[in-house]
């Protein structure tokens, strides 16, 4: 073959047209296009089905104009060991073999100094041959670029390995699922499979859940979307646990190992040697992720030594069966895509090793939690720099915690071990706002007969259950659990859990507006925590004393209590307790009208929380900063802070917190002169509160509602406000959150709501009640009011009681102050 003939054959290209729309990966394509401008060999690495081939073709088509010698695709998917890669490349380029000369030499001469791009797809089939060929090309063909796809790197000099990530998943927290690449791909392919398919309010959660369950893996998503021709999305989602059987009908024209999800994963597994298979299946006991130390401690047993784990793990990473992610607390975190993990779990079950290794995993999680707990309570007290990395790592291992709890409860019938794990993690669970699924597991595990649990574990678990219930806004359940804990702890002489249970009951008493009971409980709680020298819990009790004083308007006393709590927290270098005290001091400053100090306190608390998960405190800080901005007329900042607070609150199970955030967003809407949105949101907030077990409206709630509704009544009229309030009352919590997060009002009446009968808000004062409230503000007694209005004193007293109940006040002075402020505004 002459040089001219070779040149003629190299001026075209064979890049195929894309069979359907390319969805997502805009940033990935842009990054790879730039990378090909500077790197001579780029390898797209990833597990089977992750979309390497499709991405490579897309990138190649974007850069084709830069290669006058053409862009040439070399398919290696059907190659078998022993095949010659030079033969395949030569066939694609039209290079003919020459007598008495090796084809490789002829091919290299034909490439010469031509500027072209070779796309070598599925190189794992001939990984050694691909590496040798690329090395030869790089050595003598300076203008040739090579883009390869492979499940493992070629490992040649000059190679840039680019790990192909899954498609982006729905972010949750009220974000639009359509922002997810995985959802967009599913919707596109499902619409192609069925003309009847459409995204609806009813199926969008199932679509998002399905994409999350499939890890954003394009092959799995396309196989699932194809089923929309015979199943609804809900039916597909319900069956996805058996994904390998469900997703078993792919493209008939694809290589056999890519036609079904099982075939794709099975092919990769069969390429492993025995130590690699052993480690892969044992790693299936980890859910969400693990570290090297965890793998060595849990997986190194028969047939796999601890000193070999790192080497074998590196092979699994290279072969894209394990993902090595960003370092957490100074240690690399590894994980498997859920599809790979489920396949590995099948292999673990078939090996007969599952029970033993899951027990090892559970016991290791208890050991990690106990090590963290010992560090926190040890003397001399640790610094936050010592504690923080352990908390960050424990935060990353949450999925492993719940997996260990589940296995202990369901398979090992060992509630004591599961409860020990949860109790050891009390502080991260509560501070992180992880009330769900802690509530369900605590309920289930505490159903065990008392003789199956030690008093210490049962007492601690009951106190924890009370904390979780109160955090969820369920004071009745909190009271039941903590009352049981107190009885058990007093009988067994357990001061540690006793202090915690008493503190929660004090919270309940404050919530129920029973200050005398709250004060007595706090005094007893302080004695209990001092009996066991537990300054961590003492900061909690001191902060609660501040909250109690604040609820009664005793600002100076409240400030002293919060400052005492802050001093102990600083002495302990405790970045959990200090922000609680700072938040209390911010609320005291708000009560005094010092918004600058309140903002500084909230911002300081946020700064201390930036390295750890503490959703409960962060939500409160963001909401407080939003209210301050709203009070100062900075509506843009208020919206950003309040939306951020609501998004974070959604996933914690804090229904009361969600109601509070929505109420504040209603106040923002009123400030933005969007009366309709303000009334609907107010109605939705009140509905969420009223649906909660044991709900007690906070002081002044009705008055705040009236401050929202009264201006709207003046502008819209009583009947319109009543109708809008009814629409808000009809919203579910999910609908209310979605509506609150909308930037603009889409329609005068939200499409999710039907025709709603007008309903007068329960907070609304009648004309007679307004008249009597005005007389209260003038200082008249019930008898004087009766004389003035010519009604009986009993009737006047009943009206005053109704006014107090509707406005959420406990004294006539509060009513008088509120009426004066309303008249002034």
């Amino acid at each position: 073959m002459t040089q001219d003939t070779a040149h003629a054959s190299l001026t075209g290209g064979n890049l195929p047209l894309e069979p359907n729309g390319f969805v997502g990966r805009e940033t990935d394509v842009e990054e790879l296009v730039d990378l090909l401008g500077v790197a001579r060999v780029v390898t797209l690495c990833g597990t089977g089905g992750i979309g390497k081939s499709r991405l490579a073709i897309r990138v190649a088509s974007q850069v084709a104009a830069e290669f006058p010698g053409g862009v040439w695709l070399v398919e290696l998917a059907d190659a078998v060991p022993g095949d010659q890669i030079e033969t395949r490349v030569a066939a694609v380029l039209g290079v003919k073999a020459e007598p008495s000369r090796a084809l490789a030499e002829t091919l290299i001469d034909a490439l010469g100094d031509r500027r072209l791009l070779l796309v070598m797809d599925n190189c794992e089939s001939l990984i050694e041959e691909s590496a040798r060929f690329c090395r030869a090309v790089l050595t003598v063909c300076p203008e040739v670029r090579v883009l390869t796809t492979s499940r493992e790197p070629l490992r040649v000099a000059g190679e840039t390995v680019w790990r192909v990530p899954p498609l982006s998943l729905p972010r949750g927290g009220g974000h639009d699922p359509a922002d997810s690449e995985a959802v967009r791909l599913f919707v596109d392919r499902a619409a192609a499979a069925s003309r009847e398919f459409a995204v609806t309010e009813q199926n969008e959660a199932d679509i998002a859940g399905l994409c999350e369950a499939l890890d954003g893996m394009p092959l799995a998503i396309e196989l699932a979307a194809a089923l929309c021709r015979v199943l609804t999305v809900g039916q597909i989602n319900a069956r996805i646990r058996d994904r390998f059987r469900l997703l078993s009908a792919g493209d008939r024209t694809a290589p056999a190992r890519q036609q079904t999800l099982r075939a794709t994963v099975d092919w990769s597994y069969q390429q492993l040697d025995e130590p690699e298979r052993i480690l892969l299946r044992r790693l299936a006991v980890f859910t969400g992720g693990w570290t090297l130390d965890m793998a060595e401690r849990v997986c190194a047993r028969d047939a796999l030594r601890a000193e070999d784990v790192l080497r074998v793990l590196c092979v699994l990473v290279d072969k894209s069966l394990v993902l090595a992610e960003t370092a957490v607390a100074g240690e690399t975190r590894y994980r498997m895509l859920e599809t790979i993990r489920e396949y590995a779990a099948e292999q673990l079950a078939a090996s007969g090793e599952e029970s033993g290794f899951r027990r090892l995993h559970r016991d290791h999680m208890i050991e990690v939690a106990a090590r963290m707990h010992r560090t926190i309570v040890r003397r001399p007290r640790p610094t936050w720099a010592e504690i923080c990395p352990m908390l960050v790592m424990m935060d990353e291992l949450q999925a492993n915690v719940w997996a260990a709890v589940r296995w202990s409860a369901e398979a090992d019938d060992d509630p004591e071990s599961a409860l020990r794990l949860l109790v050891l993690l009390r502080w991260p669970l509560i501070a992180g706002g992880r009330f769900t699924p802690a509530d369900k597991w605590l309920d289930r595990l505490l159903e065990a007969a008392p003789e199956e649990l030690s008093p210490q574990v049962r007492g601690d678990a009951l106190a924890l259950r009370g904390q979780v219930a109160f955090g969820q806004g369920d004071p009745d359940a909190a009271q039941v659990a903590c009352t049981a804990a107190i009885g058990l702890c007093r009988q067994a002489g357990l001061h540690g859990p006793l202090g915690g249970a008493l503190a929660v009951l004090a919270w309940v008493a404050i919530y129920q507006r029973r200050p005398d009971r709250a004060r007595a409980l706090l005094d007893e709680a302080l004695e209990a925590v001092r009996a066991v020298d537990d300054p961590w819990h003492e900061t909690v009790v001191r902060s609660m004393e501040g909250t109690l004083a604040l609820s009664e308007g005793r600002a100076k006393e409240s400030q002293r209590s919060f400052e005492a709590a802050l001093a102990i927290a600083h002495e302990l270098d405790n970045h959990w307790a200090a922000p609680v005290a700072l938040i209390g001091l911010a609320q005291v400053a708000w009560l005094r009208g010092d918004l600058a100090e309140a903002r500084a306190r909230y911002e300081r608390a946020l700064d201390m929380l930036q390295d750890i998960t503490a959703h409960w405190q962060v939500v409160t800080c963001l909401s407080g900063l939003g209210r301050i901005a709203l009070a100062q007329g900075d509506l843009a900042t208020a919206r950003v802070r309040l939306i951020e607070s609501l998004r974070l609150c959604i996933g914690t199970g804090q229904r009361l917190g969600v109601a509070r955030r929505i109420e504040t967003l209603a106040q923002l809407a009123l400030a933005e002169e969007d009366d309709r949105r303000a009334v609907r949101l107010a109605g939705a907030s009140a509905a969420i509160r009223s649906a909660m077990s044991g709900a007690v409206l906070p002081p002044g709630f009705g008055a705040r509602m009236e401050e929202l509704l009264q201006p709207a009544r003046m502008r819209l009229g009583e009947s319109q406000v009543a109708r809008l309030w009814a629409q808000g009352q009809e919203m579910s919590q999910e609908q209310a959150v979605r509506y609150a997060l909308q930037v603009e009002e889409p329609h005068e009446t939200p499409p999710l709501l039907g025709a709603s009968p007008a309903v007068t808000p329960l907070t609304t004062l009648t004309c007679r009640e307004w008249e009597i409230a005005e007389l209260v503000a003038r200082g008249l007694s019930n008898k004087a009011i009766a004389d003035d209005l010519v009604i009986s004193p009993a009737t006047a007293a009943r009206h005053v009681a109704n006014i107090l109940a509707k406005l959420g006040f406990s004294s006539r002075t509060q009513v008088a102050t509120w009426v004066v402020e309303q008249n002034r505004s």
Side-chain angles (χ1 to χ4, degrees):
M1 181 178 188
T2 67
Q3 192 80 334
D4 289 341
T5 305
H7 175 70
S9 67
L10 294 175
T11 55
N14 69 336
L15 206 61
L17 295 174
E18 294 180 288
N20 47 24
F22 186 87
V23 178
R25 296 204 185 279
E26 291 85 0
T27 302
D28 295 345
V29 171
E30 183 179 350
E31 184 176 334
L32 285 165
V33 166
D34 292 341
L35 190 56
L36 275 174
V38 295
R40 297 198 53 202
V41 177
V42 176
T43 297
L44 305 186
C45 261
T47 190
I50 203 68
K52 302 182 295 296
S53 300
R54 191 66 191 270
L55 178 59
I57 291 173
R58 183 68 169 188
V59 170
S61 68
Q62 297 291 304
V63 300
E66 300 176 21
F67 294 94
V71 176
W72 301 89
L73 175 64
V74 181
E75 293 275 13
L76 302 174
D78 59 347
V80 296
D83 283 0
Q84 296 297 311
I85 194 168
E86 291 83 3
T87 302
R88 290 175 174 264
V89 177
V92 166
L93 297 177
V95 175
K96 304 298 183 182
E98 296 179 317
S100 305
R101 192 181 188 201
L103 179 58
E105 295 180 17
T106 303
L107 186 57
I108 293 296
D109 281 350
L111 289 170
D113 59 357
R114 313 300 179 192
R115 182 167 177 77
L116 59 82
L117 175 65
L118 281 178
V119 181
M120 296 169 56
D121 195 23
N122 294 294
C123 288
E124 66 273 5
S125 302
L126 296 173
I127 192 70
E128 298 294 339
E129 294 82 354
S130 297
R132 283 195 298 269
F133 175 75
C134 285
R135 184 167 59 246
V137 169
L138 288 176
T139 302
V140 296
C141 304
E143 294 300 311
V144 174
R145 294 285 190 274
V146 183
L147 176 62
T148 73
T149 74
S150 177
R151 300 191 189 191
E152 59 181 303
L154 302 184
R155 296 201 199 96
V156 297
E159 176 189 30
T160 298
V161 178
W162 200 89
R163 299 280 177 181
V164 179
L167 297 176
S168 64
L169 295 170
R171 291 184 289 166
H175 290 277
D176 186 354
D179 293 339
S180 152
E181 294 173 334
V183 168
R184 287 162 54 197
L185 177 64
F186 182 90
V187 170
D188 182 87
R189 301 303 192 254
S194 170
R195 286 183 297 175
E196 285 73 33
F197 173 82
V199 180
T200 66
E201 184 181 336
Q202 288 70 40
N203 70 13
E204 68 176 5
D206 278 325
I207 293 172
L210 187 59
C211 291
E212 289 179 13
L214 295 174
D215 294 307
M217 181 185 285
L219 172 63
I221 291 171
E222 297 214 23
L223 291 171
L227 291 173
C228 286
R229 68 187 188 279
V230 291
L231 297 172
T232 66
V233 179
Q235 288 176 303
I236 300 170
N237 201 22
R239 290 165 172 77
I240 202 60
R241 287 185 179 274
D242 192 6
R243 66 186 68 197
F244 293 115
R245 182 180 61 82
L246 184 67
L247 307 181
S248 58
D251 183 357
R252 288 192 181 93
T253 64
R257 63 188 173 94
Q258 296 177 353
Q259 289 184 12
T260 70
L261 191 60
R262 177 175 291 282
T264 298
V265 182
D266 195 54
W267 187 91
S268 294
Y269 188 72
Q270 296 306 321
Q271 306 308 305
L272 303 177
D273 63 23
E274 191 57 23
E276 293 158 7
R277 292 182 188 181
I278 290 172
L279 181 57
L280 183 71
R281 66 179 181 243
R282 291 178 181 177
L283 289 171
V285 300
F286 296 111
T287 302
W290 67 89
T291 64
L292 174 61
D293 177 69
M294 293 171 69
E296 290 173 334
R297 290 176 179 270
V298 174
C299 300
R301 292 296 185 275
D302 302 336
L304 185 65
R305 299 178 305 173
E307 54 266 32
D308 292 331
V309 168
L310 175 58
R311 175 185 59 80
V312 179
L313 184 60
C314 288
V315 174
L316 295 177
V317 171
D318 278 348
K319 294 188 175 182
S320 303
L321 292 170
V322 169
L323 305 178
E325 301 195 320
T326 306
V328 175
E331 295 185 65
T332 299
R333 180 176 174 271
Y334 303 91
R335 72 178 179 94
M336 286 187 279
L337 295 179
E338 187 61 22
T339 296
I340 305 298
R341 198 190 71 82
E342 285 198 15
Y343 180 90
E346 287 183 6
Q347 304 305 313
L348 181 64
S351 73
E353 296 182 330
E354 181 175 17
S355 181
F357 280 96
R358 289 204 180 277
R359 185 173 291 107
L360 286 167
H361 169 259
R362 189 271 316 280
D363 291 347
H364 182 69
M365 294 310 302
I366 292 176
E367 179 187 337
V368 171
R371 192 186 314 143
M372 182 194 71
H373 181 74
R374 287 194 299 270
T375 302
I376 289 174
V377 300
R378 77 160 195 244
R379 289 190 179 278
R381 296 295 180 189
T383 65
W384 189 253
E386 294 176 81
I387 297 174
C388 189
M390 303 180 76
L391 298 178
V392 172
M393 181 57 72
M394 207 69 229
D395 191 48
E396 289 294 319
L397 299 178
Q398 282 299 307
N400 281 289
V401 170
W402 302 120
V405 169
R406 182 182 300 108
W407 185 80
S408 291
E410 296 178 348
D412 203 36
D413 193 23
D414 186 359
E416 173 108 3
S417 291
L419 285 172
R420 278 185 61 213
L421 178 56
L422 293 176
V423 166
L424 287 167
L425 296 175
R426 173 193 292 112
W427 290 111
L429 287 175
I430 297 302
R434 296 188 178 90
F435 308 124
T436 310
D439 55 349
K440 296 179 178 60
W441 283 115
L442 286 166
D443 285 341
R444 178 170 176 171
L445 294 163
L446 284 167
E447 288 175 0
E451 61 270 15
E452 294 184 47
L453 302 172
S454 68
Q456 178 76 50
V457 168
R458 187 173 184 83
D460 268 324
L462 284 166
L464 176 59
R465 182 64 187 96
Q467 286 180 289
V468 168
F470 190 78
Q472 291 177 310
D474 190 347
D476 288 349
Q479 185 155 343
V480 169
C482 288
T483 300
I486 288 169
L488 175 63
C489 293
R490 282 175 174 160
Q491 182 180 358
L494 302 171
H495 293 285
L498 175 62
L502 288 166
V504 175
L505 280 186
W507 268 119
V508 173
I510 294 171
Y511 182 75
Q512 294 173 338
R513 300 179 213 164
R514 301 171 65 188
D516 292 341
R517 174 169 169 75
R519 195 171 296 107
L521 287 165
L522 287 174
D523 289 343
E524 190 176 356
L526 190 58
E527 290 180 15
V529 299
R530 284 179 171 172
V532 291
D533 189 21
D534 184 357
W536 277 64
H537 257 114
E538 185 174 349
T539 63
V540 173
V541 175
R542 290 297 189 189
S543 289
M544 289 174 62
E545 289 175 343
T547 300
L548 174 60
L550 189 64
S551 70
E552 297 181 300
R554 294 180 280 116
K556 289 185 178 179
E557 185 178 336
S558 177
Q559 180 152 345
R560 284 196 297 270
S561 294
F562 283 124
E563 286 175 345
L566 186 61
I568 299 171
H570 283 328
E571 183 182 351
L572 297 174
D573 198 17
N574 183 337
H575 288 213
W576 269 330
V580 173
L582 287 166
I583 288 169
L585 290 169
Q587 292 168 342
V588 172
W590 171 276
L591 183 65
R592 296 200 317 263
D594 190 341
L595 300 188
E597 182 183 342
R599 183 174 60 247
R601 298 285 195 180
Y602 280 130
E603 289 173 345
R604 173 60 182 147
L606 270 181
D607 185 59
M608 296 187 75
L609 295 167
Q610 63 182 346
D611 294 328
I612 59 172
T613 298
H615 293 322
W616 204 350
Q617 294 97 315
V618 171
V619 163
T620 304
C621 289
L622 292 171
S623 181
L625 290 169
R627 290 188 299 113
I628 290 170
L630 177 58
Q632 294 177 328
D634 185 355
L635 304 189
T637 299
R639 173 164 292 281
V640 170
R641 293 294 197 179
L642 294 174
I643 290 293
E644 191 177 358
S645 174
L646 177 58
R647 287 193 193 281
L648 190 58
C649 197
I650 293 167
T652 66
Q654 298 180 57
R655 290 176 295 164
L656 180 59
V658 169
R660 287 171 173 164
R661 308 296 83 83
I662 291 177
E663 179 191 332
T664 312
L665 282 166
Q667 294 169 341
L668 173 64
L670 187 71
E672 294 172 334
E673 300 184 355
D674 191 342
D675 295 332
R676 290 174 172 80
R677 173 183 287 270
V679 176
R680 289 191 187 108
L681 289 174
S685 172
I688 294 171
R689 286 181 184 273
S690 64
M692 290 165 52
S693 171
V696 176
L697 293 178
F701 175 76
R704 293 200 304 273
M705 288 293 101
E706 280 304 291
E707 289 166 11
L708 274 166
L709 298 172
Q710 191 60 24
R713 287 193 191 99
M714 295 175 63
R715 291 188 283 262
L716 300 176
E718 183 69 47
S719 61
Q720 178 77 325
V721 166
R723 186 177 70 84
L724 293 166
W725 176 270
Q727 290 177 355
Q729 291 270 295
E730 287 179 358
M731 292 185 191
S732 67
Q733 180 172 311
E734 292 72 22
Q735 291 170 329
V737 167
R738 189 181 303 114
Y739 182 60
L741 293 176
Q742 290 174 339
V743 176
E744 297 180 357
E745 188 83 2
H747 302 284
E748 181 175 335
T749 300
L752 56 90
L753 300 169
S756 306
V759 176
T760 302
L762 295 178
T763 61
T764 301
L765 300 183
T766 64
C767 293
R768 173 63 89 180
E769 287 167 348
W770 264 108
E771 187 178 12
I772 291 174
E774 295 273 9
L775 296 175
V776 169
R778 286 166 49 191
L780 272 65
S781 66
N782 286 351
K783 184 178 184 306
I785 292 172
D787 292 341
D788 189 83
L789 298 178
V790 194
I791 57 177
S792 71
T795 300
R798 188 172 63 254
H799 281 309
V800 171
N802 287 340
I803 293 167
L804 290 169
K806 286 184 176 182
L807 297 181
F809 290 143
S810 57
S811 71
R812 300 167 73 95
T813 302
Q814 290 172 310
V815 173
T817 302
W818 182 76
V819 169
V820 170
E821 290 177 350
Q822 287 293 102
N823 288 337
R824 183 183 298 123
S825 62

